Amino acid sequence: MQPQQKLSGIFTPNLVPYDSKGEINEPELRRYIDWLIEKGVHGLYPNGSTGEFTRFTPEERRRIVAIIADQTKGRVPILAGAAEANVRETIKACEYYHGLGIRAVAIVAPFYYKLSPASVYAYFKEIGDNTPIDVTLYNIPMFASPIDVPTIQRLSEECEKIVAIKDSSGDIPNMIRMIQAVRPNRPDFSFLTGWDAALMPLLLSGADGGTNASSGVVPELTRKLYDLTMSAQLDEARRVQYDLLTLFDTMIYSAEFPEGFRAAVELRGFQMGQGRQPITSEQQTDISTLSRTLQCMLSQHGFTNEPIGGCATGITEELGSNDVSQIVQHVVAELNRRNLI
């Protein structure tokens, strides 16, 4: 049996459109998947945080992956979120996705209960010893038990089926530590960043790609950034990274996640519907305001038309000094929380 190709490139954590009853809008989801592939994403990543996997039932999660697998028809690989409430159900999900021909699954460390490194190791070791499909570890310490470097190294050496890690911490030095610890003994092991703001620096540090929420909105930009960085066209890549950072910060810090991304996908021509998380009328007003800001940003790249009434010249004028200050405060607070500054 031929070894599977190493996971690399941009895997899009796709959103799920809802219909008027709050159910999965299958025709719109299929249209969205075709569009993402046509725009050049390297792969798809259903049932991730951006895809709101916790807001679906296990049956719905499987249906989402089945729809996407059917629509993709092997055009790009699929990395499917397979985390369930316990290790037994997670292994069942692995078996189901293996039957669909999915390339690999991504599994977040146990959440709700904060576990020790020993328990995190035991959890993934049980999965790694019993899964029929390749597994990507998913490290997102703001929501789940962290996966530390010694645990990643040990799992990579003991479990052939554990082939990658997706890290959404945004901690660049720690990702480099992972690469240093694992790559000498597992050159086939993949490192994917889930933090869009660090895509270029992590690619330059040895990462293989990313699972980036922005790629569900501007797949053209994330693919361009990847190609420019990997071909060492660094001045141009840096400009794209700066543009992507501005858009990413606006989408993630100006509304409850992932509502900013849903609003932006609407601007690309898709009917995303009302999400399952109830929001207040004030929040809806905020999203409408954010949508206009995002439309101005996207129009600068030719992805949308300008909103009625046009846009102010320059992002700072469009946002207003108070808005810019608020975004900066959010970013600084987040970096402080992660002990990055």
Side-chain angles (χ1 to χ4, degrees):
M1 183 176 178
Q2 289 290 102
Q4 292 269 35
Q5 186 175 0
K6 185 177 182 179
L7 296 173
S8 63
I10 305 300
F11 282 76
T12 297
N14 55 274
L15 291 152
V16 177
Y18 298 101
D19 62 20
S20 59
K21 297 180 180 178
E23 303 298 329
I24 298 165
N25 186 337
E26 181 174 335
E28 195 71 348
L29 177 57
R30 289 179 179 273
R31 190 169 75 89
Y32 181 43
I33 294 305
D34 281 343
W35 179 79
L36 289 170
I37 295 172
E38 289 164 6
K39 294 297 182 181
V41 302
H42 296 97
L44 298 166
Y45 176 34
N47 290 346
S49 301
T50 308
E52 303 175 277
F53 77 98
T54 60
R55 292 171 180 162
F56 293 100
T57 66
E59 293 75 22
E60 286 177 318
R61 285 193 282 273
R62 295 185 184 193
R63 182 178 167 226
I64 288 166
V65 177
I67 291 169
I68 292 174
D70 179 68
Q71 192 66 24
T72 301
K73 293 182 170 59
R75 288 178 288 170
V76 296
I78 297 171
L79 173 64
E84 295 295 341
N86 57 69
V87 70
R88 180 180 297 179
E89 293 304 312
T90 297
I91 291 172
K92 286 182 181 178
C94 291
E95 293 168 348
Y96 178 79
Y97 296 141
H98 181 256
L100 292 178
I102 300 304
R103 167 64 186 88
V105 295
I107 301 174
V108 68
F111 45 91
Y112 186 78
Y113 296 103
K114 287 293 184 181
L115 301 182
S116 67
S119 291
V120 171
Y121 162 79
Y123 176 79
F124 282 115
K125 183 68 163 62
E126 182 74 11
I127 294 169
D129 287 345
N130 292 282
T131 176
I133 191 171
D134 285 348
V135 170
T136 297
L137 308 174
Y138 180 4
N139 186 45
I140 185 165
M142 61 280 284
F143 295 138
S145 299
I147 314 173
D148 64 14
V149 172
T151 299
I152 297 163
Q153 183 176 14
R154 186 178 178 188
L155 289 167
S156 73
E157 293 174 353
E158 295 180 7
C159 302
E160 183 181 0
K161 282 291 188 179
I162 295 179
V163 302
I165 184 162
K166 160 186 159 50
D167 181 79
S168 293
S169 69
D171 187 338
I172 295 175
N174 198 56
M175 184 73 147
I176 295 173
R177 293 184 192 104
M178 293 178 195
I179 296 171
Q180 284 181 312
V182 173
R183 187 155 280 164
N185 292 328
R186 283 288 301 272
D188 61 313
F189 200 91
S190 293
F191 297 86
L192 306 173
T193 176
W195 197 249
D196 304 37
L199 179 55
M200 180 185 176
L202 281 170
L203 288 173
L204 291 173
S205 298
D208 299 283
T211 57
N212 305 113
S214 299
S215 68
V217 177
V218 285
E220 306 94 333
L221 276 188
T222 50
R223 176 60 189 264
K224 184 178 182 180
L225 177 55
Y226 177 86
D227 290 342
L228 288 170
T229 305
M230 299 305 287
S231 61
Q233 299 178 65
L234 301 186
D235 288 339
E236 190 174 352
R238 192 179 301 111
R239 287 191 289 270
V240 177
Q241 176 70 86
Y242 290 169
D243 284 347
L244 191 65
L245 173 64
T246 303
L247 180 62
F248 175 72
D249 283 351
T250 304
M251 290 188 293
I252 200 167
Y253 293 122
S254 299
E256 298 282 353
F257 180 76
E259 293 302 325
F261 295 87
R262 294 181 65 83
V265 173
E266 285 260 358
L267 293 169
R268 297 305 307 267
F270 296 93
Q271 300 300 314
M272 300 308 292
Q274 178 65 50
R276 288 186 173 176
Q277 171 59 38
I279 59 176
T280 66
S281 57
E282 292 83 2
Q283 287 175 307
Q284 186 58 60
T285 299
D286 290 343
I287 290 172
S288 297
T289 302
L290 170 61
S291 182
R292 180 180 176 86
T293 300
L294 291 171
Q295 187 170 354
C296 288
M297 289 181 167
L298 293 172
S299 69
Q300 292 178 351
H301 294 277
F303 296 144
T304 65
N305 295 322
E306 287 190 358
I308 295 173
C311 298
T313 57
I315 292 173
T316 301
E317 288 182 30
E318 170 60 29
L319 287 173
S321 59
N322 288 337
D323 294 325
V324 172
S325 177
Q326 187 176 46
I327 290 173
V328 171
Q329 288 172 11
H330 277 309
V331 174
V332 171
E334 182 66 16
L335 291 173
N336 271 319
R337 190 178 70 79
R338 299 181 189 187
N339 296 319
L340 295 179
I341 59 174

